[in-house]
mmCIF file of all heavy atoms in Angstrom:
data_model
loop_
_atom_site.group_PDB
_atom_site.id
_atom_site.type_symbol
_atom_site.label_atom_id
_atom_site.label_comp_id
_atom_site.label_asym_id
_atom_site.label_seq_id
_atom_site.Cartn_x
_atom_site.Cartn_y
_atom_site.Cartn_z
ATOM 1 N N GLU A 10 7.329 27.784 67.397
ATOM 2 C CA GLU A 10 8.003 28.926 66.752
ATOM 3 C C GLU A 10 8.223 28.624 65.273
ATOM 4 O O GLU A 10 8.032 29.505 64.428
ATOM 5 C CB GLU A 10 9.319 29.238 67.455
ATOM 6 C CG GLU A 10 9.101 29.863 68.821
ATOM 7 C CD GLU A 10 10.391 30.086 69.571
ATOM 8 O OE1 GLU A 10 11.489 29.803 69.049
ATOM 9 O OE2 GLU A 10 10.307 30.558 70.723
ATOM 10 N N GLU A 33 -9.344 44.537 46.840
ATOM 11 C CA GLU A 33 -9.303 43.482 45.836
ATOM 12 C C GLU A 33 -7.930 42.838 45.768
ATOM 13 O O GLU A 33 -7.802 41.613 45.730
ATOM 14 C CB GLU A 33 -9.681 44.054 44.472
ATOM 15 C CG GLU A 33 -9.742 42.998 43.380
ATOM 16 C CD GLU A 33 -10.151 43.590 42.049
ATOM 17 O OE1 GLU A 33 -11.087 44.411 42.029
ATOM 18 O OE2 GLU A 33 -9.538 43.218 41.052
ATOM 19 N N GLU A 35 -5.681 42.768 48.096
ATOM 20 C CA GLU A 35 -5.488 42.029 49.345
ATOM 21 C C GLU A 35 -6.186 40.677 49.276
ATOM 22 O O GLU A 35 -5.632 39.661 49.704
ATOM 23 C CB GLU A 35 -6.026 42.848 50.524
ATOM 24 C CG GLU A 35 -5.760 42.225 51.859
ATOM 25 C CD GLU A 35 -6.294 43.056 52.992
ATOM 26 O OE1 GLU A 35 -7.533 43.177 53.140
ATOM 27 O OE2 GLU A 35 -5.459 43.620 53.717
ATOM 28 N N TRP A 39 -4.856 36.896 49.671
ATOM 29 C CA TRP A 39 -5.442 36.002 50.687
ATOM 30 C C TRP A 39 -5.834 34.674 50.056
ATOM 31 O O TRP A 39 -5.572 33.630 50.606
ATOM 32 C CB TRP A 39 -6.659 36.674 51.321
ATOM 33 C CG TRP A 39 -7.318 35.802 52.351
ATOM 34 C CD1 TRP A 39 -8.535 35.207 52.275
ATOM 35 C CD2 TRP A 39 -6.766 35.448 53.625
ATOM 36 N NE1 TRP A 39 -8.787 34.486 53.410
ATOM 37 C CE2 TRP A 39 -7.724 34.616 54.257
ATOM 38 C CE3 TRP A 39 -5.590 35.724 54.291
ATOM 39 C CZ2 TRP A 39 -7.528 34.082 55.518
ATOM 40 C CZ3 TRP A 39 -5.389 35.195 55.548
ATOM 41 C CH2 TRP A 39 -6.341 34.375 56.160
ATOM 42 N N GLU A 48 -2.756 25.696 57.997
ATOM 43 C CA GLU A 48 -3.589 26.065 59.154
ATOM 44 C C GLU A 48 -2.722 26.892 60.092
ATOM 45 O O GLU A 48 -2.561 26.582 61.257
ATOM 46 C CB GLU A 48 -4.106 24.802 59.843
ATOM 47 C CG GLU A 48 -5.108 24.029 59.028
ATOM 48 C CD GLU A 48 -6.379 24.822 58.763
ATOM 49 O OE1 GLU A 48 -6.807 25.601 59.621
ATOM 50 O OE2 GLU A 48 -6.938 24.645 57.679
ATOM 51 N N ARG A 53 -4.680 32.554 60.185
ATOM 52 C CA ARG A 53 -6.023 32.244 60.645
ATOM 53 C C ARG A 53 -6.503 33.197 61.700
ATOM 54 O O ARG A 53 -7.671 33.186 62.082
ATOM 55 C CB ARG A 53 -6.103 30.798 61.118
ATOM 56 C CG ARG A 53 -6.084 29.816 59.969
ATOM 57 C CD ARG A 53 -6.847 30.362 58.821
ATOM 58 N NE ARG A 53 -7.480 29.352 58.024
ATOM 59 C CZ ARG A 53 -8.430 29.634 57.164
ATOM 60 N NH1 ARG A 53 -8.840 30.863 57.029
ATOM 61 N NH2 ARG A 53 -8.955 28.720 56.426
ATOM 62 N N PHE A 64 -19.329 38.495 55.065
ATOM 63 C CA PHE A 64 -20.297 39.586 54.845
ATOM 64 C C PHE A 64 -20.679 39.632 53.361
ATOM 65 O O PHE A 64 -21.844 39.825 53.024
ATOM 66 C CB PHE A 64 -19.697 40.918 55.313
ATOM 67 C CG PHE A 64 -19.941 41.199 56.752
ATOM 68 C CD1 PHE A 64 -19.499 40.304 57.733
ATOM 69 C CD2 PHE A 64 -20.608 42.351 57.166
ATOM 70 C CE1 PHE A 64 -19.720 40.559 59.087
ATOM 71 C CE2 PHE A 64 -20.821 42.606 58.506
ATOM 72 C CZ PHE A 64 -20.374 41.713 59.472
ATOM 73 N N ARG A 65 -19.717 39.517 52.463
ATOM 74 C CA ARG A 65 -20.016 39.542 51.031
ATOM 75 C C ARG A 65 -20.916 38.379 50.642
ATOM 76 O O ARG A 65 -21.895 38.562 49.887
ATOM 77 C CB ARG A 65 -18.723 39.479 50.200
ATOM 78 C CG ARG A 65 -19.017 39.581 48.707
ATOM 79 C CD ARG A 65 -17.809 39.490 47.801
ATOM 80 N NE ARG A 65 -16.650 40.226 48.261
ATOM 81 C CZ ARG A 65 -15.551 39.658 48.778
ATOM 82 N NH1 ARG A 65 -15.438 38.370 48.883
ATOM 83 N NH2 ARG A 65 -14.532 40.399 49.158
ATOM 84 N N PHE A 67 -23.097 36.780 52.489
ATOM 85 C CA PHE A 67 -24.455 37.044 52.943
ATOM 86 C C PHE A 67 -25.155 38.084 52.069
ATOM 87 O O PHE A 67 -26.324 37.924 51.724
ATOM 88 C CB PHE A 67 -24.442 37.530 54.416
ATOM 89 C CG PHE A 67 -24.481 36.373 55.398
ATOM 90 C CD1 PHE A 67 -23.314 35.722 55.744
ATOM 91 C CD2 PHE A 67 -25.668 35.993 55.970
ATOM 92 C CE1 PHE A 67 -23.350 34.677 56.649
ATOM 93 C CE2 PHE A 67 -25.729 34.938 56.869
ATOM 94 C CZ PHE A 67 -24.558 34.272 57.209
ATOM 95 N N ASP A 73 -28.815 40.598 55.085
ATOM 96 C CA ASP A 73 -28.042 41.654 55.719
ATOM 97 C C ASP A 73 -27.131 41.005 56.755
ATOM 98 O O ASP A 73 -27.606 40.526 57.776
ATOM 99 C CB ASP A 73 -28.981 42.659 56.391
ATOM 100 C CG ASP A 73 -28.244 43.780 57.100
ATOM 101 O OD1 ASP A 73 -27.002 43.819 57.080
ATOM 102 O OD2 ASP A 73 -28.932 44.651 57.664
ATOM 103 N N ARG A 75 -25.265 42.195 58.951
ATOM 104 C CA ARG A 75 -25.296 42.833 60.268
ATOM 105 C C ARG A 75 -26.378 42.246 61.166
ATOM 106 O O ARG A 75 -26.283 42.323 62.380
ATOM 107 C CB ARG A 75 -25.480 44.344 60.140
ATOM 108 C CG ARG A 75 -24.287 45.015 59.453
ATOM 109 C CD ARG A 75 -24.559 46.429 59.120
ATOM 110 N NE ARG A 75 -25.669 46.454 58.150
ATOM 111 C CZ ARG A 75 -26.340 47.519 57.802
ATOM 112 N NH1 ARG A 75 -26.046 48.690 58.328
ATOM 113 N NH2 ARG A 75 -27.315 47.441 56.913
ATOM 114 N N THR A 83 -13.349 38.589 72.538
ATOM 115 C CA THR A 83 -12.897 37.815 73.695
ATOM 116 C C THR A 83 -12.940 38.662 74.952
ATOM 117 O O THR A 83 -13.358 38.177 76.016
ATOM 118 C CB THR A 83 -11.452 37.306 73.473
ATOM 119 O OG1 THR A 83 -11.444 36.531 72.286
ATOM 120 C CG2 THR A 83 -10.956 36.454 74.617
ATOM 121 N N VAL A 90 -19.933 37.629 80.545
ATOM 122 C CA VAL A 90 -20.473 36.577 79.653
ATOM 123 C C VAL A 90 -21.966 36.746 79.458
ATOM 124 O O VAL A 90 -22.444 36.695 78.301
ATOM 125 C CB VAL A 90 -20.173 35.168 80.218
ATOM 126 C CG1 VAL A 90 -20.842 34.104 79.385
ATOM 127 C CG2 VAL A 90 -18.681 34.935 80.302
ATOM 128 N N ARG A 92 -24.038 39.337 79.707
ATOM 129 C CA ARG A 92 -24.400 40.502 78.911
ATOM 130 C C ARG A 92 -23.964 40.318 77.442
ATOM 131 O O ARG A 92 -24.695 40.686 76.534
ATOM 132 C CB ARG A 92 -23.753 41.755 79.495
ATOM 133 C CG ARG A 92 -24.117 43.010 78.765
ATOM 134 C CD ARG A 92 -23.567 44.210 79.460
ATOM 135 N NE ARG A 92 -23.932 45.419 78.716
ATOM 136 C CZ ARG A 92 -23.260 46.531 78.775
ATOM 137 N NH1 ARG A 92 -22.206 46.607 79.550
ATOM 138 N NH2 ARG A 92 -23.657 47.550 78.090
#
Side-chain angles (χ1 to χ4, degrees):
E10 289 175 2
E33 183 178 317
E35 184 179 70
W39 180 250
E48 292 296 325
R53 286 323 211 164
F64 273 57
R65 183 181 319 106
F67 272 82
D73 180 0
R75 294 171 297 168
T83 303
V90 174
R92 182 174 179 205

